[in-house]
Amino acid sequence: MKYAKEHGFAIPAFNCTTSSTVNAVLEAGRELNRPIMIQFSEGGSAFFSGKALPNDKGVLQNSILGAVAGAHYVRSVAPAYGIPVFVHSDHCAKKLLPWFDGMLEADEAFFKAHGEPLFSSHMLDLSEEPDEENIAICKKYFQRMAPLGLILEMEIGITGGVEDGVDNSGVSKEKLYSTPEDVFKVWEGLAPISERFTIAAAFGNVHGVYKVGNVKLRPELLEEFQKFAAEKLGKPKPYFFVFHGGSGSEKKDIATALGAGVVKMNVDTDTQWAYWEGLKDFYKAKEGYLQSQIGNPEGEDKPNKSYYDPRKWVRESELTMAKRVKEACADLKNVNP
């Protein structure tokens, strides 16, 4: 994160729900020879291990299982791709803390066995709670995470829109913008514990993708936050920021955010579309071969197995998603000269 900040780029974090989507991200990172981040949401984690499994409210055993399985999968295959890979857990609201607890227990067990945590970082999103409670809970968990070398990402201010079943589409507009004082309170609470934390400060961010002009991003606020803290602390740009709701953002807003200390940007909606687009285009191109097991435009007795084999159309989805991953890396200057 320090290297990214010093060199003016950010690491894109891609939400993954299957081994296929993980592979697409790793493939793009390998082709670029650049670091990438794979992240699992609570719902995405449950999907990874299988939606048929029980996932009781207040327990979330399947979400824990899926996140831990996903992290182990990434750890197993990432070395073959030859690039730095981070494994992160995405938004964890207060009601999802059992999921967080389960992942942290897995980190502690892995650390005991291997001297490092299973995940690279975790996010606590307690932005729906009062700021004092938000910071207090983050502080409590960070004290447990710091000895393991884990990075904590926290959110101050609310990211609008809908993400993984959490609906913030109706929040008042002022809550979509943090203040310098809000952000500095986070520093005061967390910095004494460890420097390994990032802040998802709100500057009008909204999950999802929208028509240009419908979302009013103000990334220049991040620079104001940095200046406020610099005057207090006597050092330039002390914050490490995270850009949420990055899908569909204008290039100029991304560039402004990078200059203000953004070191990570989340990408989900755009890569979801890219994955679907590969399948959609394949179906349109091969529609005549995908209506039955036998019989196609070449003859009524011709087999179609080579077209409906999942390896064929899933691979097409991986290719279009990998292409979009590379575009996100370019937007964030996460490319080699």
Side-chain angles (χ1 to χ4, degrees):
M1 294 296 186
K2 285 183 177 179
Y3 184 86
K5 187 177 177 183
E6 290 168 0
H7 291 80
F9 72 92
I11 299 171
F14 301 97
N15 286 72
C16 293
T17 55
T18 63
S19 59
S20 174
T21 51
V22 169
N23 293 347
V25 175
L26 293 173
E27 179 176 348
R30 183 187 183 203
E31 290 181 6
L32 293 174
N33 193 31
R34 295 294 297 183
I36 49 85
M37 185 177 293
I38 288 166
Q39 61 186 22
F40 298 101
S41 67
E42 183 268 333
S45 296
F47 190 88
F48 195 95
S49 47
K51 292 289 286 183
L53 294 177
N55 201 36
D56 301 327
K57 185 177 181 180
V59 182
L60 301 177
Q61 66 269 42
N62 192 30
S63 295
I64 295 168
L65 174 63
V68 171
H72 277 292
Y73 176 74
V74 175
R75 276 188 166 274
S76 296
V77 301
Y81 287 82
I83 55 171
V85 179
F86 298 83
V87 186
H88 178 72
S89 65
D90 202 8
H91 294 267
C92 179
K94 188 176 181 180
K95 65 183 179 181
L96 303 179
L97 285 176
W99 173 54
F100 199 95
D101 292 333
M103 291 186 292
L104 198 48
E105 287 174 7
D107 282 315
E108 290 168 336
F110 197 88
F111 186 90
K112 187 175 181 179
H114 303 284
E116 62 183 28
L118 177 61
F119 291 81
S120 310
S121 53
H122 295 291
M123 184 198 179
L124 281 171
D125 180 2
L126 304 167
S127 56
E128 293 180 319
E129 314 307 323
D131 288 352
E132 294 77 13
E133 183 180 1
N134 179 354
I135 296 170
I137 295 175
C138 286
K139 183 177 178 179
K140 183 187 75 171
Y141 275 101
F142 197 33
Q143 288 169 334
R144 186 176 167 188
M145 294 169 65
L148 307 180
L150 282 162
I151 297 169
L152 171 67
E153 176 185 334
M154 69 85 65
E155 183 164 338
I156 193 81
I158 291 177
T159 301
V162 180
E163 176 75 0
D164 205 40
V166 178
D167 188 351
N168 288 331
S169 57
V171 299
S172 58
K173 289 186 177 180
E174 62 267 20
K175 290 187 178 181
L176 299 178
Y177 300 94
S178 300
T179 68
E181 292 80 9
D182 294 337
V183 180
F184 193 68
K185 286 178 184 176
V186 175
W187 176 275
E188 290 178 314
L190 300 183
I193 301 171
S194 169
E195 65 177 357
R196 291 173 173 259
F197 67 93
T198 59
I199 303 173
F203 55 95
N205 320 62
V206 176
H207 286 130
V209 62
Y210 301 86
K211 185 177 180 181
V212 174
N214 284 4
V215 174
K216 180 60 177 175
L217 286 178
R218 296 183 60 200
E220 67 276 6
L221 288 177
L222 299 178
E223 189 62 46
E224 293 180 19
F225 303 159
Q226 294 281 22
K227 289 178 179 177
F228 182 89
E231 291 175 2
K232 295 273 190 180
L233 302 170
K235 60 179 181 179
K237 292 186 178 180
Y239 297 134
F240 291 79
F241 284 127
V242 177
F243 188 152
H244 281 203
S247 292
S249 297
E250 294 187 61
K251 311 296 185 186
K252 64 180 180 63
D253 288 333
I254 294 174
T256 300
L258 289 177
V262 163
V263 294
K264 170 181 178 276
M265 186 175 87
N266 292 0
V267 183
D268 186 13
T269 305
D270 284 349
T271 43
Q272 286 177 344
W273 174 258
Y275 194 88
W276 156 248
E277 194 169 36
L279 171 55
K280 173 177 66 72
D281 291 348
F282 175 75
Y283 180 81
K284 285 184 174 181
K286 305 297 181 182
E287 186 172 1
Y289 299 83
L290 295 168
Q291 303 308 307
S292 60
Q293 288 185 291
I294 303 292
N296 60 47
E298 297 176 27
E300 61 181 19
D301 60 344
K302 298 292 184 180
N304 295 316
K305 187 179 186 307
S306 61
Y307 297 96
Y308 64 76
D309 184 332
R311 290 172 294 181
K312 182 68 176 180
W313 45 268
V314 168
R315 180 57 183 156
E316 295 299 320
S317 292
E318 290 174 352
L319 290 171
T320 47
M321 181 172 170
K323 181 180 178 181
R324 185 61 184 83
V325 168
K326 287 188 281 187
E327 181 182 340
C329 287
D331 291 342
L332 297 174
K333 300 182 180 179
N334 184 34
V335 291
N336 292 317

